[in-house]
Amino acid sequence: MTEPGKRWLTTDELSAWRGFMRLAQRLPASLETQLQRDASLSFLEYYVLAHLSEQPGRRARMSDLAGLANTELSRLSHLISRLEKRGFARRETDPDNGRYTQAILTDAGFAHLESVAPGHVERVRDLFADALTVAELRTLRRIADKVLARVDAPAE
């Protein structure tokens, strides 16, 4: 399968890549299962609610949330609609710039998040944090930052 001038992955690179891809697929799926069972939330819904809970006024522009969630604005709009139906979020025009819409975490959404967060954090700790040493966690963070810097770099 080797052709002159083509770069293929070495055995070690391929092994690391396949392991990473299994992790990237299975860890979110496992967390999704826990969140669906315990909170009736998808992984992405929880992630958006958690992000809103950390923002001043528990609000953020929809466009910023779409970037954070790595999703299209239309898909995020559907997600927020589902959260609105449950009373967990609402939308308002951005008071600083009327061209934008903000998503706001409601008191009911915050209360739900507070009630389900301990179980989710315990699952993250069980599957992820407790499996690694402090040094491994720091190394993983550095690795993630290096790869994400390339992913986020402007295309040439």
Side-chain angles (χ1 to χ4, degrees):
M1 191 175 202
T2 60
E3 298 176 31
K6 302 274 184 186
R7 289 183 58 204
W8 297 98
L9 297 176
T10 67
T11 302
D12 286 340
E13 290 167 340
L14 185 58
S15 177
W17 174 247
R18 286 181 175 159
F20 171 76
M21 289 308 298
R22 283 192 309 276
L23 174 63
Q25 292 167 348
R26 294 180 63 196
L27 181 60
S30 183
L31 294 172
E32 173 98 18
T33 298
Q34 177 269 321
L35 286 167
Q36 285 288 344
R37 181 189 66 233
D38 297 346
S40 298
L41 292 171
S42 71
F43 183 75
L44 190 55
E45 288 169 337
Y46 181 90
Y47 190 62
V48 166
L49 291 175
H51 180 73
L52 286 172
S53 77
E54 297 167 351
Q55 301 310 301
R58 299 191 308 220
R59 60 178 56 226
R61 284 183 176 169
M62 292 283 289
S63 54
D64 294 341
L65 281 176
L68 172 83
N70 195 33
T71 191
E72 296 173 356
L73 193 53
S74 62
R75 183 168 181 230
L76 179 71
S77 184
H78 289 296
L79 182 146
I80 295 296
S81 291
R82 288 193 306 272
L83 294 173
E84 284 177 313
K85 287 177 185 168
R86 297 178 67 187
F88 294 163
R90 71 177 194 280
R91 287 180 248 209
E92 288 180 4
T93 301
D94 187 328
D96 296 329
N97 186 333
R99 294 179 296 158
Y100 293 98
T101 301
Q102 291 185 330
I104 300 151
L105 179 65
T106 64
D107 290 342
F110 187 75
H112 186 66
L113 191 63
E114 273 190 320
S115 73
V116 301
H120 179 63
V121 169
E122 187 56 39
R123 187 67 175 152
V124 170
R125 178 168 293 292
D126 178 51
L127 295 176
F128 181 77
D130 290 347
L132 304 170
T133 67
V134 171
E136 288 170 331
L137 287 168
R138 287 185 184 130
T139 299
L140 182 56
R141 174 61 190 258
R142 283 193 305 274
I143 292 166
D145 288 347
K146 285 174 83 170
V147 173
L148 286 171
R150 287 178 174 235
V151 170
D152 295 336
E156 294 180 16

